[in-house]
Amino acid sequence: MTSTALSIREAVALCAAWADRFAKQHGCRALVVKGSILESQGLRGPHESIDVDLLVDPAQFTSFAEALADAGWHAPKDSTDAGIMEKHSATVSHTHWPITIDVHRYFPGFLAEPQTVFETFWERHTTTEIAGVHVNTPNPASHAALAALHYLRHPDSGLALINLPKLIELTPAALGETGLAELSEIAAATGSATILAEFLADVGAPPAADAPGLESALRQWELNTHAGSTTGWLVKVFREPIRRWPREIWYSLVLTDEQIAAHYTMPGESVRSARWRRIRKGLANSPRALAYLIRFRFTHRRKRGDV
Amino acid sequence: MSTPENSTGAWRHGADVARVDTSEAQRRAVLNLERLDQPAVLLEGAALIIHDAVDGTRDTQAIIDLLTLQFPGVPMLAQEVTETLEQLAATGIIWAEREAQNA
């Protein structure tokens, strides 16, 4: 009998049950999302997850994160990504577990207020069996919307190119006619109808429309979904006053030794070597990222009739 | 806590335990959801066989008798069964009937 050497498959299933129970014990509304739940709901083929994803009531996110910290779950070193969008999740790990939990306060692509999105999910949530116990999860219609947005976030990635067509293929049978109508209602209620328009059409769901006032958020989404990491850094720099650009550019290029060690060194590689590799790659990508940003801003000004 | 020495009751599986069976590897990962500060436990080999022998009717001696029949000639079998039941009970993955009667 041993408490170590859990396989990733074992750990993901048990940890999902753990996270669900921990949330319930702390009076926090939370839904286990993605992973094997998608498979159980008929929205994905067999798949080995490597972490647990938990969507938490945004109003309870901070207190839940504190409870997790008290229980020994801590964030690894801060990511060095310069996000175009606000951080939507926190990744935490624990010495007892070989995997991490991604605690989400919201999911990118749902452009309505995070609380509105969560309430939309929660009011129709269900339970799914995992590791022999029932955990709170989104219902299949909500989950289909979430999965589609997850793939559409990086539409050119291998993840999207493989999983999105499969999701489109599986969704009609998994949801049925009623579920497809609900999918459209969810898209409209959560501000994802525009982004999901093509997906809704592909799966045979009725058309849906977002409430007005999401244009700015939609622009951010479009920029984010087509941006590489260098574009993210450029956006971060441009958001600063011009006098701070030199400092921001310098920081973006070199980072700290700790950040380089935590996120960029390959096995056996020194921090110095990893830093130079990263700088060369960043500089090589800069012209293309800058061109993309200029093109993006020009296109959107033209759409708004500014030029 | 009921232990094999002081329990005369039948052993039962904990009701609030998550478990993942991996048949090809012949092992079982279990987590007591009533004790979230406790790590998951991996049962392999003898521990898995003894855990499987817990059925809600057998006490310690009955489990020893059953496994002695199934695995004749295994040295120190009674001691291993007793110790393993003790370890499993300590994690709350199994419990003995007497515990419920005392509660």
Side-chain angles (χ1 to χ4, degrees):
Chain A
M1 197 171 78
T2 171
S3 61
T4 57
L6 285 178
S7 70
I8 298 300
R9 186 183 77 87
E10 292 163 340
V12 167
L14 292 180
C15 191
W18 185 96
D20 175 79
R21 181 59 58 87
F22 187 79
K24 287 170 180 163
Q25 273 192 359
H26 287 79
C28 178
R29 298 187 298 171
L31 301 169
V32 178
V33 299
K34 300 195 294 182
S36 65
I37 310 291
L38 282 173
E39 193 180 329
S40 300
Q41 293 179 337
L43 293 166
R44 183 162 67 186
H47 172 81
E48 293 285 322
S49 298
I50 55 169
D51 59 11
V52 170
D53 289 279
L54 201 62
L55 175 61
V56 172
D57 177 356
Q60 296 176 293
F61 180 86
T62 303
S63 60
F64 185 68
E66 287 169 359
L68 278 174
D70 289 343
W73 290 87
H74 297 291
K77 292 191 186 308
D78 284 345
S79 163
T80 60
D81 289 347
I84 292 166
M85 302 174 84
E86 182 193 358
K87 281 281 176 204
H88 64 278
S89 66
T91 301
V92 291
S93 60
H94 192 290
T95 52
H96 286 173
W97 295 91
I99 57 160
T100 55
I101 301 177
D102 277 354
V103 189
H104 298 257
R105 73 170 83 219
Y106 71 93
F107 266 87
F110 293 113
L111 304 182
E113 282 299 313
Q115 197 66 47
T116 303
V117 175
F118 185 82
E119 299 300 343
T120 304
F121 274 40
W122 186 260
E123 70 187 22
R124 62 193 85 216
H125 82 275
T126 184
T127 63
T128 304
E129 188 175 320
I130 187 164
V133 297
H134 284 88
V135 302
N136 285 334
T137 62
N139 77 345
S142 306
H143 220 174
L146 187 150
L149 288 177
H150 179 59
Y151 303 143
L152 287 170
R153 199 168 151 218
H154 300 291
D156 299 325
S157 68
L159 179 81
L161 294 173
I162 294 168
N163 288 320
L164 188 56
K166 191 72 182 169
L167 179 66
I168 291 168
E169 177 195 331
L170 294 174
T171 295
L175 300 191
E177 199 173 330
T178 310
L180 289 172
E182 188 183 16
L183 172 63
S184 295
E185 290 168 17
I186 291 166
T190 57
S192 57
T194 305
I195 296 170
L196 290 177
E198 200 174 323
F199 174 71
L200 294 178
D202 287 345
V203 300
D210 286 325
L214 298 177
E215 294 78 11
S216 172
L218 193 57
R219 277 189 65 200
Q220 292 291 316
W221 163 268
E222 286 177 6
L223 181 55
N224 192 55
T225 53
H226 293 93
S229 58
T230 305
T231 315
W233 283 111
L234 287 175
V235 169
K236 186 165 184 278
V237 169
F238 291 156
R239 279 177 180 164
E240 297 291 332
I242 291 176
R243 64 184 163 76
R244 295 185 63 175
W245 285 11
R247 201 190 79 164
E248 285 297 324
I249 291 169
W250 173 253
Y251 172 75
S252 305
L253 284 172
V254 301
L255 299 181
T256 65
D257 285 355
E258 290 75 22
Q259 287 172 320
I260 294 286
H263 299 286
Y264 292 98
T265 51
M266 292 178 173
E269 188 182 32
S270 69
V271 167
R272 182 190 172 93
S273 168
R275 175 174 283 129
W276 276 112
R277 184 169 46 76
R278 180 177 175 278
I279 289 173
R280 282 197 302 274
K281 185 180 169 194
L283 290 176
N285 287 341
S286 291
R288 199 176 47 184
L290 194 57
Y292 174 77
L293 271 180
I294 292 168
R295 196 168 59 243
F296 180 85
R297 284 170 190 268
F298 181 76
T299 305
H300 277 272
R301 278 206 189 113
R302 198 165 50 191
K303 276 184 187 169
R304 295 200 313 262
D306 294 350
V307 289
Chain B
M1 175 61 64
S2 181
T3 66
E5 285 78 15
N6 66 19
S7 169
T8 55
W11 288 99
R12 296 174 185 278
H13 289 137
D16 208 6
V17 173
R19 58 189 266 177
V20 179
D21 286 308
T22 309
S23 54
E24 64 271 23
Q26 296 188 320
R27 64 190 216 171
R28 177 175 300 144
V30 288
L31 179 70
N32 185 354
L33 294 173
E34 289 177 348
R35 301 183 193 174
L36 294 181
D37 56 344
Q38 204 171 263
V41 174
L42 198 54
L43 305 175
E44 297 176 286
L48 179 58
I49 292 167
I50 293 165
H51 190 247
D52 274 340
V54 171
D55 68 349
T57 64
R58 297 189 188 104
D59 62 9
T60 301
Q61 191 55 52
I63 291 173
I64 291 170
D65 293 344
L66 173 75
L67 297 182
T68 302
L69 272 174
Q70 289 181 356
F71 305 97
V74 173
M76 314 282 284
L77 186 139
Q79 184 183 335
E80 182 164 10
V81 168
T82 305
E83 287 175 0
T84 301
L85 289 171
E86 197 172 323
Q87 288 174 0
L88 293 173
T91 64
I93 291 166
I94 63 169
W95 57 280
E97 214 161 45
R98 174 184 260 196
E99 203 170 55
Q101 290 165 1
N102 291 344

